[in-house]
Amino acid sequence: CLRAQSKLQAARENTLALLKYTASKGYGRHNSLFGFELGNELQDDLPAAVLAAQYKQLAGFLRELWPDEATRPWICGPDENPDGVWLHDFLAAADGVVDAVTYHQFSVRADLVALCRLANLESVTFADQKDKNRVDGGPVPAQHLLCPGNDI
């Protein structure tokens, strides 16, 4: 137990050191840093409430290091495989600190509508859609959101 606590403390300290360094260099959402995300596909390793608590801690660090909300990097996540129940529990426990929900989708798009319904999400956009009006083909603007129940 002591070894696990030591690893968790080291991970927390490393995360905070990286965030402090990033903030000290002036990086933020206004110039070159969109956001931060914790982990990858952790739904099989951590209960939703545990990961949500870590996201809340990250939110506190970001508020402290980037007091100006306009420059503060977003919190993205949880970058999980579609599991509507776990995602719903995570978002409920995260209590609004997640700015952008991320996930992995390895199935047909019709499954996404079912996931959104399970997670009680109101809208979603597909990351593989590109805006043809942007030189870099960047993300689709918000008016292209697909709401569950619409034809895909």
Side-chain angles (χ1 to χ4, degrees):
C1 227
L2 185 57
R3 184 180 219 170
Q5 287 177 340
S6 177
K7 284 183 178 182
L8 286 174
Q9 182 62 27
R12 181 183 182 280
E13 289 172 7
N14 288 340
T15 300
L16 188 54
L18 175 65
L19 293 174
K20 285 180 177 180
Y21 172 82
T22 304
S24 75
K25 293 297 183 183
Y27 300 130
R29 199 172 73 233
H30 64 293
N31 58 16
S32 59
L33 178 62
F34 180 77
F36 288 100
E37 181 171 26
L38 298 177
N40 178 43
E41 297 184 7
L42 295 173
Q43 75 278 0
D44 294 330
D45 299 323
L46 292 174
V50 171
L51 187 59
Q54 293 173 351
Y55 270 75
K56 287 179 173 182
Q57 188 172 47
L58 174 62
F61 292 155
L62 296 183
R63 280 191 302 273
E64 178 184 326
L65 296 169
W66 284 272
D68 180 4
E69 190 174 350
T71 64
R72 185 180 310 139
W74 277 14
I75 296 178
C76 306
D79 210 30
E80 52 99 37
N81 287 312
D83 177 345
V85 173
W86 189 94
L87 181 59
H88 178 267
D89 292 348
F90 168 79
L91 292 173
D95 198 28
V97 301
V98 176
D99 298 300
V101 174
T102 59
Y103 64 93
H104 294 166
Q105 182 182 351
F106 302 106
S107 58
V108 289
R109 289 188 176 181
D111 289 345
L112 182 58
V113 173
L115 169 67
C116 292
R117 287 186 183 134
L118 278 171
N120 291 325
L121 297 176
E122 294 178 10
S123 62
V124 67
T125 189
F126 295 114
D128 62 345
Q129 290 178 325
K130 299 294 180 184
D131 183 349
K132 294 176 182 65
N133 297 319
R134 286 183 50 169
V135 175
D136 66 355
V140 175
Q143 67 262 27
H144 294 288
L145 289 177
L146 171 72
C147 297
N150 290 354
D151 292 330
I152 301 178

